Amino acid sequence: MNVLVINAGSSSLKYQLINVEHHQVLAKGICERVGAADAFHKHGIDENEIVIDVPMNNHTEAVRLALQSILEGPNKAIDSLDEIDAIGHRVVQGGKYFDRSVLIDDEVIARIEELKELAPLHNEAALMGIRACQALMPDKPMVAVFDTSYFQTLQPKAYMYPLPYELYEKYAIRKYGAHGTSHRYIAERAAAFLDEPIDELKLITCHLGNGCSVSAIDHGVAIDTSMGLTPLDGLMMGTRSGSIDPAIVTFVMEHENLSPQEMNNLLNKKSGLLGISGVSNDLRSVRIASEEGNERAMLAYHMYSNSVKKYIGQYIAVMGGVDAVVLTAGVGENDQKMRRMIFSGMQPLGIVLDEARNREHGFERDIATNSSLVRIIIIPTNEEYMIARDTFDIVHG
Ligand code: ADP
């Protein structure tokens, strides 16, 4: 079964055509700066990628271009649209309504629309992707896969904020989490890698990319996660602050005369690694600058590792131990130095990184010493495959 996976952002549209049974990516690409004069479209796998500057006014035109590149030209993957069996859409916010992926119908669309208030840019983008596919391929079954649904197993003690209860009743303000598809994938893969049933394991999964989150997966059930009502909460990230003293928000708004929107922008786009280092939101650039003696970059690098360390400690306490810490995404998969800093000094907790294994490259791997009581596992994430697989499962009933 071939599934077209669509991940629509407010000004971008990523896609992959995946054959689920063979676990094979047949085509992939991204349309960027959709709606802007300098829009472009990249299509192709790895070194075969081609970049085309091409105008696209909206997401429907972006999907049309994607389909054109899948069906024609140097990187064509299939001969006709009939070879696409179903479409899977990534949707950021599923609120309390969706604890799993679902077949998209009018009611589901209405719910995603209703949840826009909790994730204004993200859910609107997903709706644009869904409507574009409906317009161009009205007969294909479509499935929505939510970033939040994996965390619907959290208990109220984990998802409630200590605010007046009425705010929860009035606005549904609570922790929803994000990156759920990635945490679900790496938790499953880690259990398979360890050759143990997931319901016998205590896992801490760390998605460390531009966006960062950590989750506690207790015997196969997500019991806590660092992202909150929105993906701003928790760890320090590329440009997002993560958790800070909430009093800072009103202090800065008052003293800098900022509107709510400007404050939101400061916390989401100007903070994190970028805000502290003044160099970049990209951890590679921050590391290079810190190695060249830039003190703010060094501080940013240390704050980042400390932020991950603290969440690992919290979740060990919450679960009463841990069998494996699982790392994924750009930083988790690649940055040896960051991994060394995160796990430094954790020997008393039974977590011992093997320096030589940490330096090796590879696919799924264990980088703890043989005698470490806790495994440290690297699993490259694959959210697109997870979306394709959910789509396959639901369409097949
Ligand atoms: P996104 O959340 O945008 O999907 P990624 O998973 O691609 O993010 O992660 C981006 C982050 O990963 C950046 O901070 C980048 O510096 C870091 N990164 C990517 N490759 C490497 C590498 N080889 N070494 C160190 N850091 C890396």
Side-chain angles (χ1 to χ4, degrees), residues 207-211 281-284 287 329-331 334-335:
H207 179 112
L208 307 177
N210 255 321
N281 64 308
D282 188 305
L283 194 70
R284 269 171 299 196
R287 190 187 61 218
V331 176
N334 299 301
D335 197 323

